[in-house]
């Protein structure tokens, strides 16, 4: 490589006419270097004298990062030299080659190079860097983008701190869209609703599943809010409803609290919060379902008639079924909710971005609907109403109420355009999103279950699953139920039959275990108190595997200092970042 | 069918058309009927072109053997920064998607896990943030890292 350089040196002078390289000086330096490197000592160059020119400088045209470099005193020349340190930040720099317009590109790694610069910028001598800068002045932005887009989330955050150009390049809408389109994203599990010392801490714990690394995000805006539901939609997490204590702000205080209608949206990529329209009804722990819809989707209007299962004809008067509807006190309470924003102490620590999702949503304007049903109302009463949010109009619309004998909804998930919901009394219904009505679904008998554990529905790649805790025949003792076990069941959507898919390895200690389906994976988090300690377990199952076996991805990470009430308030969402 | 490619330093490379058209740039020249004479590539020097053509040839040869190809790619991309840089620009100019992808991935791998200061040092980039700006961005972007 060196000899090549040396023979090329004759042409160097011509190539660098504009840069006025003195042939004599180049030759003399290269000769010196030749002597130096002949002994194969390339790597042993003395630190104090030489400069390590390891730089892949990724510039943009004009005005990108500039290279600062140490100069060496070794090649003593009569002209004076300036020593500038590349590591001194913000101290300014000197262009290595010639004029302001040409940004320097120096690219040599692992080989200590020498270059030096005269005071007169036009007149300088370079070695290896000269050969490089002859060919390319800088690495184009689009190539730099292509490299940065492949960075995992945490490295991307770091890259933003490198320099202004990198910050700009990695936060454009185009870049985020590129990242979404490619295979660069990995699943992240977000745990919300942890309670510390009686306070809803507003902490979000995020697990980078592929790296097995936890991160904590402080979300002051969530302080004091508990029993909300969350759903991951594209790049954001929607925080819906919930309660906050009226008497002692921040505490998980169920003696006196108000229930929210508000919906907050968290965007991890830009670590920002925004608000969207509030629901029509205040709800705590509503059951949420998300579905992407086509841009010409229209919200159907068959929503206000009180229909039960389609096979039934006739109905019962609304008044008797829903006395609260006519209650004045309730109306007043609803009005009260409108002012919820003013109840929050003035906090400047979070920022709202009021405009459309441009900045935070990398998916651009992919239209979706968010359905919110059930939950508990302002007086802790179970709600049978439901509403649907349309991202295109930023509006909530009431949907048909739950069938009256359906029971309390305890779990729901969207699968193939149908929002399936499961009730505490073991009923299954589906809301046809396109057509806008509920249908009852008769399946083969549900797996019998332990009464207190409400099954959870999850959807993976268009398949519907349910996690249910049941009694299991004891080992070697047929007929004796002495062990409870959590099993994963799949519903055949064609024949409506349940079949067992796998068994969860952990004893079901948490009746409020949260499970979330994401592509082909099901993530689960259990938190429970045992022997005075709170423990947490995060597990994952790949349903595309034949055995659909579960594995632990984290144990006891977040639970030191947490309160037992975290078990009840915790929720889980999964995003691809 | 053989094509002749000329590097920036005037070296001529003779390659099979099948190998050369891995480059979308060359492919479109061939399709437009402009490839009868020697194709000049003023932006690629002979050293880099040789490497690039080796990549293309192996991709034709090992097309069906994914494992072997991956092994080759991993070994191929173990080059020093100078060469990596040249490969990036050549792959971009010649529009060879898989080479460009692999080279960009190598750069990304180089940056992974480094602190901003380490990245700056590796790439000799000057920090143009003021301390206040840096603090603000740090707060906005870097989540608190625990464990």
């Amino acid at each position: 490589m060196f000899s090549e350089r040396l023979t090329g040196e004759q042409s160097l002078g011509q190539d660098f006419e504009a840069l006025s390289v003195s042939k004599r000086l180049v030759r003399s330096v290269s000769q010196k270097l030749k002597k130096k490197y002949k002994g194969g000592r390339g790597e042993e160059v003395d630190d104090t004298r030489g400069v390590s020119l390891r730089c892949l400088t990724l510039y943009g045209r004009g005005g990108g990062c500039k290279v600062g470099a140490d100069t060496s005193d070794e090649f003593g020349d009569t002209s004076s030299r300036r020593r500038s340190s590349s590591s001194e930040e913000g101290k300014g720099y000197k262009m290595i080659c010639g004029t302001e317009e040409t940004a320097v590109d120096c690219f040599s790694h692992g080989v200590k190079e020498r270059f030096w610069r005269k005071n007169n910028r036009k007149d300088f001598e370079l070695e290896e860097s000269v050969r490089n800068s002859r060919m390319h002045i800088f690495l184009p932005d689009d190539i730099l983008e292509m490299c940065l887009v492949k960075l995992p989330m945490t490295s991307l955050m770091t890259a933003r701190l490198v320099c202004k150009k990198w910050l700009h390049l990695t936060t454009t809408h185009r870049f985020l869209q590129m990242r979404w389109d490619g295979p660069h994203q990995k699943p992240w599990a977000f745990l919300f609703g942890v309670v510390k010392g009686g306070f809803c801490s507003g902490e979000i714990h995020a697990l980078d599943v592929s790296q097995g690394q936890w991160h904590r995000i402080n979300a002051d805006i969530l302080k004091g809010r508990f029993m909300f539901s969350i759903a991951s939609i594209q790049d954001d997490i929607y925080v819906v409803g919930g309660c906050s204590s009226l008497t002692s702000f921040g505490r998980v205080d169920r003696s006196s609290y108000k229930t929210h209608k508000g919906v907050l949206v968290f965007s991890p990529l830009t670590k920002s919060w925004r608000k969207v329209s509030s629901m029509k009804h205040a709800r705590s722990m509503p059951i949420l379902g998300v579905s992407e819809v086509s841009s010409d989707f229209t919200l159907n209007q068959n929503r206000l008639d009180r229909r039960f299962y389609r096979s039934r004809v006739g109905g019962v008067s609304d008044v008797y079924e829903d006395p609260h509807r006519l209650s004045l006190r309730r109306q007043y309470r609803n009005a009260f909710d409108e002012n919820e924003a003013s109840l929050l102490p003035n906090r400047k620590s979070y920022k709202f971005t009021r405009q459309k999702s441009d900045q935070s949503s990398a998916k651009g304007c992919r239209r979706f609907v968010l359905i919110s049903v059930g939950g508990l109302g302002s007086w802790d009463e179970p709600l049978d109403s439901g509403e649907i949010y349309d991202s295109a109009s930023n509006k909530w619309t009431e949907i048909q109420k739950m069938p009256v004998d359906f029971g309390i909804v305890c779990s729901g998930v969207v699968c193939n355009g149908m929002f399936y919901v499961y009730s505490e009394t073991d009923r299954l219904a589906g809301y046809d999103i396109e057509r806008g009505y509920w249908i009852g679904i008769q399946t083969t008998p549900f797996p019998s279950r332990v009464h207190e554990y409400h099954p959870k529905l999850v959807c993976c790649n268009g398949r519907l699953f349910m996690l249910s805790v049941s009694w299991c025949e004891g080992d070697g003792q047929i007929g004796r139920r002495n062990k409870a076990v959590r099993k994963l069941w799949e519903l055949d959507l064609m024949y409506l039959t349940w079949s067992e898919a796998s068994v969860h390895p952990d004893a079901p200690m948490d009746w409020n275990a949260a499970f979330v389906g994401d592509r082909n994976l099901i993530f689960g988090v259990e938190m429970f108190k045992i022997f005075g300690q709170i423990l947490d377990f995060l597990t994952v199952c790949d349903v595309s595997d034949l055995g659909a076996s579960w594995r632990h991805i984290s144990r006891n990470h977040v639970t030191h200092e947490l309160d037992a009430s975290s078990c009840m308030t915790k929720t889980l969402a999964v995003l691809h970042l | 069918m053989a094509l002749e490619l000329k590097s920036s330093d005037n070296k001529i490379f003779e390659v099979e058309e099948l190998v050369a058209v891995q480059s979308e740039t060359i492919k479109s020249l061939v399709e437009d009927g402009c490839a009868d004479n020697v194709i000049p590539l003023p932006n690629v020097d002979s050293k880099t072109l040789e490497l690039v053509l080796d990549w293309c040839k192996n991709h034709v040869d090992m097309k069906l053997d994914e494992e072997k190809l991956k092994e080759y790619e991993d070994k191929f991309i173990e080059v020093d920064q100078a060469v990596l840089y040249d490969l990036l620009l050549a792959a971009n100019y010649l529009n060879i998607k898989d080479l460009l992808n692999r080279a960009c991935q190598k750069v990304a791998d180089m940056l992974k896990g480094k602190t901003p200061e380490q990245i700056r040092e590796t790439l000799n980039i000057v920090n143009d943030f003021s301390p206040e700006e840096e603090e603000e961005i740090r707060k906005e972007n870097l989540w608190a890292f625990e464990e």
Side-chain angles (χ1 to χ4, degrees):
Chain A
M1 188 165 104
F2 288 115
S3 54
E4 204 184 294
R5 203 163 11 105
L6 290 172
T7 50
E9 107 189 278
Q10 293 306 319
S11 61
L12 273 178
Q14 295 151 325
D15 288 349
F16 288 104
E17 216 127 76
L19 308 172
S20 325
V21 176
S22 153
K23 269 196 209 178
R24 176 185 63 78
L25 281 163
V26 168
R27 206 173 304 138
S28 74
V29 166
S30 53
Q31 275 165 3
K32 282 185 185 173
L33 263 182
K34 199 174 174 185
K35 275 186 261 163
K36 198 106 195 161
Y37 285 110
K38 235 171 189 169
R41 283 178 49 215
E43 295 295 320
E44 303 320 314
V45 174
D46 189 354
D47 246 26
T48 58
R49 290 138 108 230
V51 63
S52 157
L53 185 60
R54 284 166 286 163
C55 43
L56 161 58
T57 54
L58 306 170
Y59 290 137
R61 289 175 192 269
C65 307
K66 313 280 200 264
V67 172
D70 285 314
T71 57
S72 160
D73 275 336
E74 191 202 351
F75 301 97
D77 214 326
T78 48
S79 43
S80 51
R81 262 161 212 85
R82 262 185 82 252
R83 182 174 280 276
S84 70
S85 164
S86 61
S87 56
E88 279 175 55
E89 292 166 6
K91 215 184 170 203
Y93 53 89
K94 282 278 185 200
M95 296 301 293
I96 296 174
C97 320
T99 59
E100 292 292 337
E101 285 72 60
T102 55
V104 167
D105 149 280
C106 336
F107 200 144
S108 52
H109 172 72
V111 178
K112 294 227 168 121
E113 303 296 330
R114 279 137 206 288
F115 75 100
W116 60 102
R117 193 184 42 71
K118 284 184 172 183
N119 224 15
N120 179 3
R121 285 179 193 179
K122 289 198 182 138
D123 213 356
F124 64 100
E125 297 85 17
L126 295 175
E127 268 300 336
E128 180 73 2
S129 49
V130 145
R131 184 183 75 88
N132 291 319
S133 51
R134 166 168 55 92
M135 285 196 319
H136 313 287
I137 306 296
F138 45 74
L139 197 64
D141 277 359
D142 52 354
I143 296 188
L144 178 51
E145 262 189 346
M146 277 191 266
C147 298
L148 295 178
V149 88
K150 294 179 193 294
L151 287 174
M153 178 64 166
T154 42
S155 302
L156 186 63
M157 297 294 199
T158 314
R160 286 182 178 154
L161 278 173
V162 170
C163 65
K164 286 185 179 165
K165 189 160 102 106
W166 284 35
L167 173 64
H168 176 72
L169 274 182
T170 53
T171 47
T172 59
H173 181 85
R174 200 173 75 91
F175 179 84
L176 297 174
Q177 184 72 48
M178 223 162 69
R179 204 151 179 282
W180 160 246
D181 287 339
H184 312 115
Q185 301 190 303
K186 296 279 183 318
W188 281 68
F190 289 82
L191 186 65
F192 281 67
V194 294
V195 181
K196 268 183 179 175
F199 279 91
C200 323
S201 52
E203 270 179 11
I204 303 171
H205 292 259
L207 174 66
D208 179 352
V209 180
S210 56
Q211 315 268 60
Q213 178 125 43
W214 282 95
H215 305 275
R216 187 182 61 188
I217 306 163
N218 289 313
D220 283 344
I221 191 179
L222 281 186
K223 274 204 172 127
R225 196 182 275 230
F226 56 95
M227 288 180 59
F228 44 81
S229 295
I230 62 178
S232 58
I233 301 175
Q234 297 166 355
D235 273 349
D236 303 325
I237 297 183
Y238 280 61
V239 178
V240 180
C243 311
S244 14
S245 169
L246 284 171
T247 49
S248 41
F249 185 80
R251 291 201 152 262
V252 182
D253 175 4
R254 307 225 54 220
S255 59
S256 164
Y257 58 89
K258 64 182 292 291
T259 307
H260 297 287
K261 289 184 192 173
V263 180
L264 300 168
V265 184
F266 176 58
S267 179
L269 282 178
T270 51
K271 207 186 160 201
S272 57
W273 288 86
R274 67 184 198 280
K275 254 191 169 180
V276 295
S277 296
S278 300
M279 293 186 288
K280 292 194 175 295
H281 301 271
R283 297 171 200 271
S284 63
M285 313 220 40
I287 308 300
L288 301 178
V290 181
S291 178
E292 283 198 8
V293 293
S294 59
S295 46
D296 51 1
F297 168 80
T298 47
L299 276 179
N300 243 302
Q301 282 317 311
N302 344 331
R303 33 196 89 260
L304 300 178
D305 357 333
R306 193 72 200 241
R307 266 192 243 191
F308 307 132
Y309 299 108
R310 295 208 79 203
S311 52
R312 272 177 71 169
V313 176
V316 185
S317 161
D318 282 355
V319 175
Y320 293 103
E321 278 149 15
D322 193 1
H324 290 300
R325 233 166 39 92
L326 300 179
S327 159
L328 282 174
R329 228 175 70 198
R330 181 179 175 134
Q331 284 169 10
Y332 173 73
R333 195 75 178 194
N334 283 340
F336 191 52
D337 277 333
E338 304 286 356
N339 302 321
E340 67 170 300
S342 62
L343 287 180
L344 293 172
N346 192 17
R347 287 173 185 279
K348 295 207 158 99
S349 47
Y350 54 78
K351 51 179 196 215
F352 275 142
T353 51
R354 293 199 150 274
Q355 74 281 13
K356 260 193 358 158
S357 36
D358 264 17
Q359 180 182 330
S360 40
S361 166
K363 316 301 195 286
C365 310
R366 297 240 293 258
R367 191 173 171 192
F368 64 87
V369 293
L370 169 64
I371 307 173
S372 171
V373 304
L376 300 175
S378 307
W379 281 273
D380 241 11
E381 78 281 18
L383 298 172
D384 57 1
S385 60
E387 35 194 315
I388 187 166
Y389 172 80
D390 183 353
S391 65
S393 61
N394 189 28
K395 275 210 186 101
W396 287 90
T397 318
E398 283 217 44
I399 59 170
Q400 188 184 24
K401 285 198 187 215
M402 300 298 307
V404 87
D405 49 357
F406 185 73
I408 298 170
V409 188
C410 59
S411 175
V413 76
V414 172
C415 185
N416 299 335
M418 181 86 85
F419 179 43
Y420 292 92
V421 290
Y422 193 90
S423 77
E424 289 180 3
T425 47
D426 294 304
R427 288 195 132 98
L428 186 67
Y431 181 78
D432 187 322
I433 298 173
E434 200 72 39
R435 297 193 184 90
Y437 51 70
W438 290 100
I439 53 171
I441 300 173
Q442 298 287 358
T443 66
T444 55
F446 290 105
S448 67
R449 62 180 181 92
V450 176
H451 189 69
E452 295 75 23
Y453 289 75
H454 299 141
K456 302 283 181 202
L457 294 175
V458 289
C459 172
C460 283
N461 288 343
R463 293 161 72 181
L464 186 64
F465 294 88
M466 178 171 81
L467 282 128
S468 169
V469 177
S470 50
W471 293 111
C472 159
E473 305 297 312
D475 292 313
Q477 290 176 310
I478 301 178
R480 262 194 75 178
R481 296 166 158 199
N482 55 5
K483 195 165 79 166
V485 68
R486 199 186 301 268
K487 289 187 182 174
L488 180 69
W489 298 83
E490 181 170 2
L491 180 69
D492 181 318
L493 294 169
M494 174 93 85
Y495 298 109
L496 298 178
T497 52
W498 289 103
S499 55
E500 190 180 314
S502 74
V503 175
H504 198 278
D506 294 338
M509 304 286 289
D510 184 356
W511 61 269
N512 190 35
F515 290 92
V516 166
D518 168 73
R519 301 194 189 169
N520 59 315
L521 300 172
I522 301 179
F523 290 87
V525 66
E526 289 183 75
M527 242 186 223
F528 50 89
K529 187 170 184 182
I530 189 166
F531 308 129
Q533 249 201 317
I534 313 281
L535 299 180
D536 72 283
F537 291 85
L538 210 79
T539 46
V540 70
C541 162
D542 186 345
V543 298
S544 58
D545 269 352
L546 252 82
S549 58
W550 293 83
R551 59 184 177 92
H552 289 92
I553 51 179
S554 172
R555 279 180 224 245
N556 301 330
H557 166 82
V558 289
T559 42
H560 14 271
E561 317 141 24
L562 290 191
D563 287 12
S565 45
S566 303
C567 308
M568 192 174 70
T569 56
K570 69 170 184 310
T571 46
L572 187 71
V574 176
L575 278 184
H576 280 253
L577 296 179
Chain B
M1 244 296 273
L3 293 176
E4 285 186 320
L5 308 173
K6 185 164 85 167
S7 67
S8 58
D9 44 352
N10 296 324
K11 202 166 161 201
I12 309 264
F13 290 81
E14 195 175 300
V15 277
E16 277 179 43
E17 186 179 314
L18 200 59
V19 171
V21 294
Q22 305 254 324
S23 150
E24 295 284 334
T25 309
I26 296 179
K27 185 166 179 217
S28 50
L29 282 177
V30 169
E31 285 171 354
D32 291 347
C34 310
D36 294 336
N37 303 321
V38 176
I39 302 174
L41 302 173
N43 288 1
V44 189
D45 68 9
S46 56
K47 181 163 163 259
T48 311
L49 187 54
E50 197 177 326
L51 285 171
V52 169
L53 292 174
D54 187 65
W55 170 281
C56 293
K57 181 157 197 316
N58 277 285
H59 271 73
V60 169
D61 292 344
M62 296 188 215
K63 202 168 179 171
L64 298 171
D65 194 339
E66 258 192 59
E67 211 180 286
K68 203 169 164 202
L69 192 58
K70 183 165 189 315
E71 210 183 302
Y72 166 78
E73 285 188 6
D74 290 343
K75 201 160 157 232
F76 180 91
I77 210 72
E78 284 302 319
V79 289
D80 66 26
Q81 278 193 22
V83 179
L84 182 60
Y85 178 70
D86 291 341
L87 283 173
L88 269 169
L89 287 163
N92 189 41
Y93 171 66
L94 292 169
N95 200 349
I96 306 171
K97 284 205 170 59
D98 45 28
L99 176 57
L100 187 55
N101 243 333
R102 194 67 189 85
C104 287
Q105 184 64 54
K106 183 83 173 88
V107 175
D109 292 342
M110 232 169 63
L111 301 176
K112 268 189 218 177
K114 289 196 160 77
T115 65
E117 187 45 46
Q118 284 170 337
I119 295 179
R120 283 188 213 117
E121 216 180 282
T122 311
L123 309 183
N124 223 354
I125 298 174
V126 167
N127 182 3
D128 55 353
F129 287 122
S130 71
E132 298 84 30
E133 284 173 329
E134 193 168 342
E135 190 48 45
E136 194 184 316
I137 299 165
R138 192 177 285 273
K139 266 202 299 220
E140 285 175 21
N141 282 294
L142 286 187
W143 303 341
F145 280 69
E146 278 214 320
E147 261 119 310

